[in-house]
Short mmCIF file of all heavy atoms in Angstrom, two decimals:
data_model
loop_
_atom_site.label_atom_id
_atom_site.label_comp_id
_atom_site.label_asym_id
_atom_site.label_seq_id
_atom_site.Cartn_x
_atom_site.Cartn_y
_atom_site.Cartn_z
N MET A 1 5.23 32.93 -24.69
CA MET A 1 5.22 31.66 -25.39
C MET A 1 5.60 31.93 -26.84
O MET A 1 5.13 32.90 -27.44
CB MET A 1 3.84 31.01 -25.29
CG MET A 1 3.76 29.66 -25.95
SD MET A 1 2.12 28.87 -25.94
CE MET A 1 1.73 28.79 -24.24
N SER A 2 6.42 31.07 -27.41
CA SER A 2 6.84 31.28 -28.79
C SER A 2 5.69 31.05 -29.76
O SER A 2 4.69 30.40 -29.43
CB SER A 2 7.98 30.32 -29.13
OG SER A 2 7.49 29.00 -29.28
N GLU A 3 5.85 31.58 -30.96
CA GLU A 3 4.81 31.42 -31.98
C GLU A 3 4.62 29.94 -32.34
O GLU A 3 3.49 29.49 -32.53
CB GLU A 3 5.18 32.23 -33.23
CG GLU A 3 4.10 32.21 -34.28
CD GLU A 3 4.41 33.08 -35.48
OE1 GLU A 3 5.29 33.96 -35.37
OE2 GLU A 3 3.78 32.87 -36.52
N ILE A 4 5.72 29.20 -32.38
CA ILE A 4 5.62 27.76 -32.69
C ILE A 4 4.81 27.05 -31.62
O ILE A 4 3.95 26.22 -31.93
CB ILE A 4 7.02 27.14 -32.84
CG1 ILE A 4 7.69 27.66 -34.11
CG2 ILE A 4 6.94 25.62 -32.86
CD1 ILE A 4 9.13 27.22 -34.27
N ALA A 5 5.08 27.36 -30.35
CA ALA A 5 4.35 26.71 -29.26
C ALA A 5 2.86 27.07 -29.32
O ALA A 5 2.00 26.21 -29.10
CB ALA A 5 4.95 27.11 -27.92
N MET A 6 2.57 28.34 -29.62
CA MET A 6 1.16 28.74 -29.72
C MET A 6 0.47 28.04 -30.88
O MET A 6 -0.67 27.59 -30.75
CB MET A 6 1.06 30.26 -29.86
CG MET A 6 1.40 30.99 -28.59
SD MET A 6 1.06 32.77 -28.63
CE MET A 6 2.21 33.32 -29.90
N ASN A 7 1.17 27.93 -32.01
CA ASN A 7 0.59 27.22 -33.16
C ASN A 7 0.36 25.75 -32.84
O ASN A 7 -0.66 25.19 -33.21
CB ASN A 7 1.48 27.37 -34.39
CG ASN A 7 1.46 28.77 -34.96
OD1 ASN A 7 0.56 29.56 -34.69
ND2 ASN A 7 2.48 29.11 -35.74
N ALA A 8 1.33 25.14 -32.17
CA ALA A 8 1.18 23.72 -31.80
C ALA A 8 0.00 23.54 -30.86
O ALA A 8 -0.80 22.61 -31.03
CB ALA A 8 2.47 23.20 -31.16
N ALA A 9 -0.13 24.42 -29.87
CA ALA A 9 -1.25 24.34 -28.93
C ALA A 9 -2.57 24.52 -29.67
O ALA A 9 -3.54 23.80 -29.39
CB ALA A 9 -1.09 25.39 -27.84
N HIS A 10 -2.61 25.44 -30.61
CA HIS A 10 -3.84 25.67 -31.39
C HIS A 10 -4.19 24.42 -32.21
O HIS A 10 -5.36 24.01 -32.24
CB HIS A 10 -3.67 26.88 -32.31
CG HIS A 10 -4.88 27.16 -33.14
ND1 HIS A 10 -6.05 27.65 -32.61
CD2 HIS A 10 -5.09 27.01 -34.47
CE1 HIS A 10 -6.93 27.78 -33.57
NE2 HIS A 10 -6.38 27.41 -34.72
N MET A 11 -3.21 23.81 -32.85
CA MET A 11 -3.47 22.62 -33.65
C MET A 11 -3.91 21.45 -32.77
O MET A 11 -4.85 20.72 -33.12
CB MET A 11 -2.24 22.23 -34.46
CG MET A 11 -1.98 23.16 -35.63
SD MET A 11 -0.64 22.61 -36.70
CE MET A 11 0.77 22.93 -35.69
N ILE A 12 -3.26 21.28 -31.61
CA ILE A 12 -3.65 20.21 -30.71
C ILE A 12 -5.09 20.41 -30.24
O ILE A 12 -5.86 19.45 -30.13
CB ILE A 12 -2.68 20.11 -29.52
CG1 ILE A 12 -1.32 19.58 -29.99
CG2 ILE A 12 -3.24 19.23 -28.40
CD1 ILE A 12 -0.22 19.68 -28.96
N ASP A 13 -5.46 21.65 -29.98
CA ASP A 13 -6.81 21.95 -29.51
C ASP A 13 -7.88 21.59 -30.53
O ASP A 13 -9.03 21.35 -30.17
CB ASP A 13 -6.90 23.43 -29.13
CG ASP A 13 -8.08 23.71 -28.23
OD1 ASP A 13 -8.35 22.88 -27.33
OD2 ASP A 13 -8.72 24.76 -28.41
N MET A 14 -7.52 21.52 -31.82
CA MET A 14 -8.48 21.17 -32.86
C MET A 14 -8.76 19.67 -32.91
O MET A 14 -9.73 19.23 -33.50
CB MET A 14 -7.97 21.62 -34.23
CG MET A 14 -7.93 23.12 -34.39
SD MET A 14 -7.54 23.66 -36.08
CE MET A 14 -5.84 23.15 -36.26
N LEU A 15 -7.90 18.87 -32.28
CA LEU A 15 -8.03 17.41 -32.35
C LEU A 15 -9.13 16.90 -31.43
O LEU A 15 -9.47 17.54 -30.42
CB LEU A 15 -6.71 16.76 -31.93
CG LEU A 15 -5.50 17.03 -32.81
CD1 LEU A 15 -4.24 16.50 -32.12
CD2 LEU A 15 -5.68 16.41 -34.17
N PRO A 16 -9.67 15.72 -31.74
CA PRO A 16 -10.59 15.09 -30.79
C PRO A 16 -9.83 14.70 -29.52
O PRO A 16 -8.60 14.53 -29.55
CB PRO A 16 -11.09 13.84 -31.53
CG PRO A 16 -10.33 13.74 -32.78
CD PRO A 16 -9.49 14.96 -32.95
N ASP A 17 -10.54 14.59 -28.41
CA ASP A 17 -9.90 14.37 -27.11
C ASP A 17 -8.91 13.20 -27.07
O ASP A 17 -7.81 13.37 -26.54
CB ASP A 17 -10.95 14.19 -26.01
CG ASP A 17 -11.59 15.53 -25.64
OD1 ASP A 17 -11.01 16.59 -25.96
OD2 ASP A 17 -12.67 15.50 -25.03
N PRO A 18 -9.23 12.03 -27.62
CA PRO A 18 -8.24 10.94 -27.55
C PRO A 18 -6.92 11.31 -28.26
O PRO A 18 -5.84 10.97 -27.79
CB PRO A 18 -8.92 9.76 -28.24
CG PRO A 18 -10.38 10.07 -28.15
CD PRO A 18 -10.49 11.57 -28.20
N ASP A 19 -7.04 12.05 -29.36
CA ASP A 19 -5.85 12.46 -30.09
C ASP A 19 -5.10 13.59 -29.36
O ASP A 19 -3.88 13.68 -29.43
CB ASP A 19 -6.20 12.89 -31.51
CG ASP A 19 -6.68 11.71 -32.36
OD1 ASP A 19 -6.34 10.56 -32.03
OD2 ASP A 19 -7.39 11.95 -33.34
N LYS A 20 -5.85 14.44 -28.66
CA LYS A 20 -5.21 15.46 -27.83
C LYS A 20 -4.32 14.80 -26.79
O LYS A 20 -3.20 15.22 -26.55
CB LYS A 20 -6.25 16.32 -27.11
CG LYS A 20 -6.93 17.35 -27.94
CD LYS A 20 -7.92 18.12 -27.09
CE LYS A 20 -8.80 18.97 -27.98
NZ LYS A 20 -9.83 19.68 -27.23
N ASN A 21 -4.86 13.76 -26.16
CA ASN A 21 -4.10 13.04 -25.13
C ASN A 21 -2.85 12.40 -25.73
O ASN A 21 -1.78 12.41 -25.12
CB ASN A 21 -4.97 12.00 -24.43
CG ASN A 21 -6.06 12.64 -23.60
OD1 ASN A 21 -5.92 13.75 -23.12
ND2 ASN A 21 -7.17 11.93 -23.46
N LEU A 22 -2.98 11.83 -26.91
CA LEU A 22 -1.84 11.21 -27.58
C LEU A 22 -0.77 12.26 -27.89
O LEU A 22 0.42 12.04 -27.63
CB LEU A 22 -2.30 10.52 -28.88
CG LEU A 22 -1.21 9.86 -29.71
CD1 LEU A 22 -0.56 8.71 -28.94
CD2 LEU A 22 -1.79 9.38 -31.03
N ALA A 23 -1.18 13.41 -28.42
CA ALA A 23 -0.23 14.48 -28.73
C ALA A 23 0.45 14.98 -27.46
O ALA A 23 1.66 15.21 -27.44
CB ALA A 23 -0.95 15.63 -29.43
N TYR A 24 -0.33 15.12 -26.38
CA TYR A 24 0.24 15.57 -25.10
C TYR A 24 1.29 14.58 -24.60
O TYR A 24 2.38 14.97 -24.17
CB TYR A 24 -0.87 15.74 -24.06
CG TYR A 24 -0.33 15.95 -22.67
CD1 TYR A 24 0.20 17.19 -22.30
CD2 TYR A 24 -0.31 14.92 -21.75
CE1 TYR A 24 0.72 17.37 -21.03
CE2 TYR A 24 0.21 15.10 -20.48
CZ TYR A 24 0.72 16.33 -20.14
OH TYR A 24 1.24 16.50 -18.88
N GLU A 25 0.97 13.30 -24.64
CA GLU A 25 1.90 12.28 -24.16
C GLU A 25 3.18 12.25 -25.00
O GLU A 25 4.28 12.05 -24.47
CB GLU A 25 1.24 10.90 -24.13
CG GLU A 25 0.16 10.76 -23.08
CD GLU A 25 0.64 10.99 -21.66
OE1 GLU A 25 1.80 10.60 -21.33
OE2 GLU A 25 -0.12 11.55 -20.85
N LEU A 26 3.06 12.47 -26.30
CA LEU A 26 4.23 12.52 -27.17
C LEU A 26 5.11 13.71 -26.81
O LEU A 26 6.33 13.58 -26.66
CB LEU A 26 3.81 12.61 -28.64
CG LEU A 26 4.96 12.80 -29.64
CD1 LEU A 26 5.93 11.63 -29.58
CD2 LEU A 26 4.43 12.99 -31.03
N ILE A 27 4.50 14.87 -26.63
CA ILE A 27 5.27 16.06 -26.25
C ILE A 27 5.93 15.85 -24.90
O ILE A 27 7.11 16.18 -24.70
CB ILE A 27 4.37 17.31 -26.25
CG1 ILE A 27 3.94 17.65 -27.68
CG2 ILE A 27 5.08 18.50 -25.59
CD1 ILE A 27 2.84 18.67 -27.77
N LYS A 28 5.20 15.29 -23.95
CA LYS A 28 5.75 15.03 -22.62
C LYS A 28 6.95 14.08 -22.71
O LYS A 28 7.99 14.31 -22.08
CB LYS A 28 4.67 14.44 -21.71
CG LYS A 28 5.14 14.25 -20.27
CD LYS A 28 3.98 13.94 -19.33
CE LYS A 28 3.59 12.50 -19.43
NZ LYS A 28 2.62 12.10 -18.39
N LYS A 29 6.84 13.05 -23.54
CA LYS A 29 7.94 12.10 -23.71
C LYS A 29 9.17 12.79 -24.31
O LYS A 29 10.30 12.56 -23.87
CB LYS A 29 7.50 10.94 -24.59
CG LYS A 29 8.53 9.86 -24.75
CD LYS A 29 7.99 8.67 -25.52
CE LYS A 29 9.05 7.60 -25.58
NZ LYS A 29 8.56 6.35 -26.09
N LEU A 30 8.97 13.66 -25.29
CA LEU A 30 10.08 14.40 -25.90
C LEU A 30 10.76 15.32 -24.88
O LEU A 30 11.98 15.39 -24.82
CB LEU A 30 9.58 15.22 -27.09
CG LEU A 30 9.15 14.43 -28.32
CD1 LEU A 30 8.47 15.36 -29.33
CD2 LEU A 30 10.32 13.72 -28.94
N VAL A 31 9.96 16.03 -24.10
CA VAL A 31 10.52 16.94 -23.10
C VAL A 31 11.29 16.16 -22.04
O VAL A 31 12.41 16.54 -21.66
CB VAL A 31 9.41 17.81 -22.46
CG1 VAL A 31 9.94 18.56 -21.25
CG2 VAL A 31 8.85 18.78 -23.48
N LEU A 32 10.74 15.07 -21.56
CA LEU A 32 11.42 14.27 -20.55
C LEU A 32 12.70 13.64 -21.09
O LEU A 32 13.69 13.51 -20.36
CB LEU A 32 10.49 13.20 -19.98
CG LEU A 32 9.37 13.74 -19.09
CD1 LEU A 32 8.41 12.62 -18.72
CD2 LEU A 32 9.93 14.41 -17.84
N ALA A 33 12.72 13.28 -22.35
CA ALA A 33 13.94 12.73 -22.95
C ALA A 33 15.00 13.82 -23.06
O ALA A 33 16.19 13.57 -22.87
CB ALA A 33 13.64 12.14 -24.33
N TRP A 34 14.58 15.04 -23.33
CA TRP A 34 15.51 16.17 -23.46
C TRP A 34 16.02 16.61 -22.10
O TRP A 34 17.19 16.96 -21.93
CB TRP A 34 14.79 17.32 -24.17
CG TRP A 34 15.58 18.58 -24.25
CD1 TRP A 34 16.69 18.81 -25.00
CD2 TRP A 34 15.32 19.80 -23.56
NE1 TRP A 34 17.14 20.09 -24.82
CE2 TRP A 34 16.30 20.72 -23.93
CE3 TRP A 34 14.33 20.20 -22.67
CZ2 TRP A 34 16.33 22.02 -23.46
CZ3 TRP A 34 14.36 21.49 -22.20
CH2 TRP A 34 15.36 22.37 -22.59
N ASP A 35 15.14 16.60 -21.08
CA ASP A 35 15.50 17.10 -19.75
C ASP A 35 14.69 16.37 -18.69
O ASP A 35 13.68 16.86 -18.21
CB ASP A 35 15.23 18.60 -19.70
CG ASP A 35 15.71 19.26 -18.42
OD1 ASP A 35 16.42 18.61 -17.64
OD2 ASP A 35 15.38 20.43 -18.20
N PRO A 36 15.13 15.19 -18.30
CA PRO A 36 14.33 14.34 -17.40
C PRO A 36 14.04 14.94 -16.03
O PRO A 36 13.06 14.59 -15.40
CB PRO A 36 15.14 13.06 -17.28
CG PRO A 36 16.51 13.40 -17.75
CD PRO A 36 16.38 14.57 -18.67
N ASP A 37 14.88 15.84 -15.55
CA ASP A 37 14.62 16.42 -14.23
C ASP A 37 14.29 17.91 -14.29
O ASP A 37 14.33 18.61 -13.28
CB ASP A 37 15.77 16.16 -13.27
CG ASP A 37 17.11 16.64 -13.83
OD1 ASP A 37 17.13 17.22 -14.93
OD2 ASP A 37 18.13 16.43 -13.16
N PHE A 38 13.97 18.40 -15.48
CA PHE A 38 13.53 19.79 -15.69
C PHE A 38 14.54 20.80 -15.14
O PHE A 38 14.16 21.78 -14.50
CB PHE A 38 12.15 20.04 -15.07
CG PHE A 38 11.05 19.25 -15.71
CD1 PHE A 38 10.58 18.08 -15.12
CD2 PHE A 38 10.48 19.67 -16.89
CE1 PHE A 38 9.56 17.35 -15.71
CE2 PHE A 38 9.46 18.94 -17.49
CZ PHE A 38 9.01 17.78 -16.89
N THR A 39 15.82 20.59 -15.40
CA THR A 39 16.84 21.52 -14.91
C THR A 39 17.47 22.36 -16.02
O THR A 39 18.15 23.33 -15.74
CB THR A 39 17.97 20.77 -14.17
OG1 THR A 39 18.54 19.82 -15.05
CG2 THR A 39 17.44 20.10 -12.93
N LYS A 40 17.27 21.97 -17.27
CA LYS A 40 17.83 22.75 -18.38
C LYS A 40 17.03 24.02 -18.58
O LYS A 40 15.83 24.07 -18.33
CB LYS A 40 17.81 21.94 -19.67
CG LYS A 40 18.73 20.75 -19.66
CD LYS A 40 18.68 20.03 -21.00
CE LYS A 40 19.54 18.79 -20.98
NZ LYS A 40 19.46 18.06 -22.25
N LEU A 41 17.71 25.04 -19.03
CA LEU A 41 17.04 26.31 -19.32
C LEU A 41 16.82 26.44 -20.82
O LEU A 41 17.68 26.09 -21.62
CB LEU A 41 17.91 27.48 -18.87
CG LEU A 41 18.20 27.60 -17.38
CD1 LEU A 41 19.12 28.79 -17.13
CD2 LEU A 41 16.94 27.72 -16.58
N THR A 42 15.66 26.96 -21.17
CA THR A 42 15.43 27.30 -22.56
C THR A 42 16.22 28.58 -22.86
O THR A 42 16.72 29.24 -21.94
CB THR A 42 13.94 27.56 -22.83
OG1 THR A 42 13.52 28.70 -22.09
CG2 THR A 42 13.09 26.35 -22.46
N THR A 43 16.32 28.94 -24.10
CA THR A 43 17.01 30.17 -24.48
C THR A 43 16.39 31.37 -23.77
O THR A 43 17.10 32.23 -23.25
CB THR A 43 16.97 30.36 -26.01
OG1 THR A 43 17.51 29.20 -26.62
CG2 THR A 43 17.73 31.58 -26.44
N GLU A 44 15.07 31.43 -23.74
CA GLU A 44 14.37 32.54 -23.09
C GLU A 44 14.62 32.54 -21.58
O GLU A 44 14.84 33.59 -20.98
CB GLU A 44 12.87 32.48 -23.38
CG GLU A 44 12.08 33.63 -22.80
CD GLU A 44 12.47 35.00 -23.35
OE1 GLU A 44 12.95 35.08 -24.49
OE2 GLU A 44 12.28 35.99 -22.63
N GLU A 45 14.60 31.37 -20.94
CA GLU A 45 14.85 31.29 -19.51
C GLU A 45 16.28 31.72 -19.18
O GLU A 45 16.50 32.42 -18.18
CB GLU A 45 14.60 29.88 -19.00
CG GLU A 45 13.15 29.47 -18.99
CD GLU A 45 12.94 28.00 -18.74
OE1 GLU A 45 13.83 27.18 -19.06
OE2 GLU A 45 11.86 27.65 -18.21
N ALA A 46 17.24 31.32 -19.99
CA ALA A 46 18.64 31.72 -19.77
C ALA A 46 18.78 33.23 -19.88
O ALA A 46 19.48 33.86 -19.07
CB ALA A 46 19.55 31.01 -20.76
N LYS A 47 18.08 33.83 -20.85
CA LYS A 47 18.11 35.28 -21.02
C LYS A 47 17.51 35.96 -19.80
O LYS A 47 18.07 36.93 -19.27
CB LYS A 47 17.34 35.67 -22.28
CG LYS A 47 17.27 37.15 -22.53
CD LYS A 47 16.43 37.44 -23.77
CE LYS A 47 16.14 38.92 -23.89
NZ LYS A 47 15.12 39.21 -24.87
N GLN A 48 16.38 35.46 -19.31
CA GLN A 48 15.73 36.04 -18.14
C GLN A 48 16.62 35.91 -16.90
O GLN A 48 16.68 36.83 -16.07
CB GLN A 48 14.38 35.39 -17.90
CG GLN A 48 13.35 35.74 -18.94
CD GLN A 48 12.07 34.95 -18.79
OE1 GLN A 48 11.96 34.03 -17.98
NE2 GLN A 48 11.08 35.29 -19.60
N LEU A 49 17.29 34.79 -16.75
CA LEU A 49 18.18 34.59 -15.61
C LEU A 49 19.34 35.58 -15.64
O LEU A 49 19.67 36.19 -14.63
CB LEU A 49 18.71 33.15 -15.59
CG LEU A 49 19.65 32.80 -14.45
CD1 LEU A 49 18.97 32.99 -13.10
CD2 LEU A 49 20.14 31.37 -14.60
N GLU A 50 19.94 35.78 -16.81
CA GLU A 50 21.03 36.74 -16.92
C GLU A 50 20.55 38.15 -16.62
O GLU A 50 21.24 38.92 -15.95
CB GLU A 50 21.67 36.67 -18.32
CG GLU A 50 22.55 35.46 -18.51
CD GLU A 50 23.64 35.33 -17.44
OE1 GLU A 50 24.33 36.33 -17.16
OE2 GLU A 50 23.77 34.23 -16.87
N GLU A 51 19.36 38.50 -17.11
CA GLU A 51 18.81 39.82 -16.83
C GLU A 51 18.58 40.00 -15.33
O GLU A 51 18.84 41.07 -14.78
CB GLU A 51 17.51 40.03 -17.60
CG GLU A 51 17.70 40.23 -19.09
CD GLU A 51 16.39 40.26 -19.86
OE1 GLU A 51 15.30 40.12 -19.26
OE2 GLU A 51 16.46 40.43 -21.10
N ALA A 52 18.10 38.96 -14.66
CA ALA A 52 17.88 39.04 -13.22
C ALA A 52 19.21 39.22 -12.48
O ALA A 52 19.30 40.02 -11.55
CB ALA A 52 17.16 37.78 -12.73
N LYS A 53 20.22 38.50 -12.91
CA LYS A 53 21.53 38.62 -12.26
C LYS A 53 22.10 40.02 -12.44
O LYS A 53 22.71 40.58 -11.53
CB LYS A 53 22.51 37.59 -12.83
CG LYS A 53 22.23 36.18 -12.36
CD LYS A 53 23.23 35.22 -12.98
CE LYS A 53 23.00 33.81 -12.56
NZ LYS A 53 23.94 32.87 -13.20
N ASP A 54 21.91 40.58 -13.63
CA ASP A 54 22.45 41.92 -13.94
C ASP A 54 21.64 43.04 -13.28
O ASP A 54 22.11 44.17 -13.21
CB ASP A 54 22.48 42.15 -15.46
CG ASP A 54 23.47 41.22 -16.16
OD1 ASP A 54 24.37 40.69 -15.48
OD2 ASP A 54 23.33 41.05 -17.38
N SER A 55 20.45 42.74 -12.80
CA SER A 55 19.58 43.80 -12.27
C SER A 55 19.59 43.89 -10.75
O SER A 55 18.69 44.47 -10.17
CB SER A 55 18.16 43.58 -12.77
OG SER A 55 17.61 42.43 -12.15
N GLY A 56 20.58 43.32 -10.10
CA GLY A 56 20.63 43.40 -8.65
C GLY A 56 20.06 42.16 -7.97
O GLY A 56 19.57 42.23 -6.85
N PHE A 57 20.13 41.06 -8.64
CA PHE A 57 19.67 39.78 -8.10
C PHE A 57 20.32 39.53 -6.74
O PHE A 57 21.52 39.74 -6.57
CB PHE A 57 20.05 38.68 -9.10
CG PHE A 57 19.73 37.28 -8.64
CD1 PHE A 57 18.45 36.78 -8.74
CD2 PHE A 57 20.73 36.47 -8.15
CE1 PHE A 57 18.16 35.50 -8.35
CE2 PHE A 57 20.45 35.18 -7.75
CZ PHE A 57 19.17 34.69 -7.86
N VAL A 58 19.54 39.10 -5.76
CA VAL A 58 20.06 38.82 -4.43
C VAL A 58 19.97 37.33 -4.17
O VAL A 58 18.91 36.72 -4.31
CB VAL A 58 19.26 39.59 -3.36
CG1 VAL A 58 19.75 39.24 -1.97
CG2 VAL A 58 19.34 41.08 -3.60
N ASP A 59 21.08 36.73 -3.78
CA ASP A 59 21.13 35.31 -3.45
C ASP A 59 20.31 35.07 -2.18
O ASP A 59 20.43 35.79 -1.20
CB ASP A 59 22.58 34.88 -3.23
CG ASP A 59 22.73 33.37 -3.10
OD1 ASP A 59 21.80 32.71 -2.63
OD2 ASP A 59 23.80 32.88 -3.48
N ALA A 60 19.46 34.07 -2.20
CA ALA A 60 18.61 33.76 -1.05
C ALA A 60 19.42 33.52 0.21
O ALA A 60 18.94 33.76 1.32
CB ALA A 60 17.72 32.56 -1.36
N GLU A 61 20.65 33.04 0.07
CA GLU A 61 21.48 32.77 1.25
C GLU A 61 21.97 34.06 1.90
O GLU A 61 22.43 34.04 3.04
CB GLU A 61 22.64 31.87 0.86
CG GLU A 61 22.17 30.48 0.49
CD GLU A 61 23.32 29.52 0.22
OE1 GLU A 61 24.46 29.83 0.60
OE2 GLU A 61 23.05 28.46 -0.35
N GLU A 62 21.87 35.18 1.20
CA GLU A 62 22.29 36.46 1.75
C GLU A 62 21.17 37.14 2.54
O GLU A 62 21.39 38.17 3.17
CB GLU A 62 22.75 37.39 0.63
CG GLU A 62 23.99 36.92 -0.08
CD GLU A 62 24.40 37.86 -1.20
OE1 GLU A 62 23.96 39.02 -1.21
OE2 GLU A 62 25.16 37.41 -2.07
N ILE A 63 19.98 36.56 2.55
CA ILE A 63 18.83 37.14 3.23
C ILE A 63 18.67 36.51 4.61
O ILE A 63 18.72 35.29 4.75
CB ILE A 63 17.54 36.93 2.41
CG1 ILE A 63 17.67 37.59 1.05
CG2 ILE A 63 16.32 37.43 3.16
CD1 ILE A 63 16.56 37.27 0.08
N ASP A 64 18.47 37.33 5.63
CA ASP A 64 18.19 36.83 6.98
C ASP A 64 16.68 36.62 7.06
O ASP A 64 15.92 37.52 7.42
CB ASP A 64 18.67 37.82 8.03
CG ASP A 64 18.51 37.28 9.44
OD1 ASP A 64 17.87 36.20 9.61
OD2 ASP A 64 19.02 37.91 10.37
N TRP A 65 16.24 35.42 6.71
CA TRP A 65 14.81 35.12 6.62
C TRP A 65 14.11 35.23 7.97
O TRP A 65 12.91 35.45 8.02
CB TRP A 65 14.61 33.72 6.02
CG TRP A 65 15.06 33.66 4.60
CD1 TRP A 65 16.23 33.15 4.14
CD2 TRP A 65 14.38 34.14 3.45
NE1 TRP A 65 16.31 33.29 2.77
CE2 TRP A 65 15.19 33.89 2.32
CE3 TRP A 65 13.15 34.77 3.26
CZ2 TRP A 65 14.81 34.26 1.03
CZ3 TRP A 65 12.77 35.13 1.97
CH2 TRP A 65 13.60 34.87 0.88
N SER A 66 14.85 35.10 9.07
CA SER A 66 14.21 35.18 10.39
C SER A 66 13.73 36.59 10.70
O SER A 66 12.90 36.79 11.58
CB SER A 66 15.19 34.71 11.48
OG SER A 66 16.30 35.60 11.55
N LYS A 67 14.23 37.59 9.98
CA LYS A 67 13.84 38.98 10.24
C LYS A 67 12.78 39.50 9.26
O LYS A 67 12.30 40.62 9.42
CB LYS A 67 15.07 39.89 10.18
CG LYS A 67 16.04 39.60 11.31
CD LYS A 67 17.20 40.55 11.27
CE LYS A 67 18.16 40.22 12.42
NZ LYS A 67 19.32 41.12 12.41
N ILE A 68 12.40 38.69 8.30
CA ILE A 68 11.38 39.11 7.33
C ILE A 68 10.03 39.21 8.04
O ILE A 68 9.59 38.29 8.72
CB ILE A 68 11.27 38.11 6.15
CG1 ILE A 68 12.61 37.98 5.44
CG2 ILE A 68 10.14 38.50 5.20
CD1 ILE A 68 13.05 39.22 4.72
N GLY A 69 9.40 40.36 7.91
CA GLY A 69 8.07 40.56 8.52
C GLY A 69 8.12 41.00 9.96
O GLY A 69 7.08 41.22 10.57
N HIS A 70 9.31 41.14 10.54
CA HIS A 70 9.46 41.60 11.92
C HIS A 70 10.05 43.00 11.92
O HIS A 70 10.90 43.33 11.12
CB HIS A 70 10.38 40.66 12.71
CG HIS A 70 9.89 39.26 12.75
ND1 HIS A 70 8.87 38.85 13.57
CD2 HIS A 70 10.26 38.15 12.05
CE1 HIS A 70 8.65 37.55 13.38
NE2 HIS A 70 9.49 37.11 12.46
N GLU A 71 9.58 43.81 12.83
CA GLU A 71 10.10 45.19 12.90
C GLU A 71 11.26 45.27 13.86
O GLU A 71 11.51 44.54 14.70
CB GLU A 71 9.00 46.14 13.31
CG GLU A 71 7.96 46.21 12.23
CD GLU A 71 6.86 47.18 12.58
OE1 GLU A 71 7.12 48.19 13.24
OE2 GLU A 71 5.74 46.93 12.17
#
């Protein structure tokens, strides 16, 4: 988690419960406006995806799932 996100979470945690809920709903509204179906990658997620691809990532379609767990 980024330092900004940790600081924001810490500040929200200091608020009384009704204000915590208000802050949460505002953040949720901002995130949904930015990515309504949660398909965009953050910078960190894009980096992790590229690292996975470069490290021998296997496409799920290349796996014979019917043979997993069978000898």
Side-chain angles (χ1 to χ4, degrees):
M1 183 183 302
S2 73
E3 185 176 342
I4 291 174
M6 288 189 295
N7 289 341
H10 179 71
M11 287 187 287
I12 290 170
D13 199 39
M14 292 188 292
L15 297 170
D17 286 341
D19 292 337
K20 283 180 191 177
N21 293 332
L22 178 64
Y24 170 77
E25 291 301 324
L26 174 61
I27 292 168
K28 185 168 80 171
K29 184 174 183 170
L30 290 171
V31 169
L32 289 173
W34 174 70
D35 186 9
D37 55 2
F38 295 100
T39 58
K40 293 182 183 178
L41 297 178
T42 64
T43 305
E44 183 62 27
E45 290 169 333
K47 178 183 170 193
Q48 290 172 354
L49 180 60
E50 285 306 311
E51 288 173 359
K53 287 179 180 178
D54 294 340
S55 69
F57 176 80
V58 177
D59 189 330
E61 293 185 15
E62 295 179 19
I63 300 171
D64 185 351
W65 294 101
S66 65
K67 294 183 180 179
I68 301 293
H70 301 283
E71 293 182 33

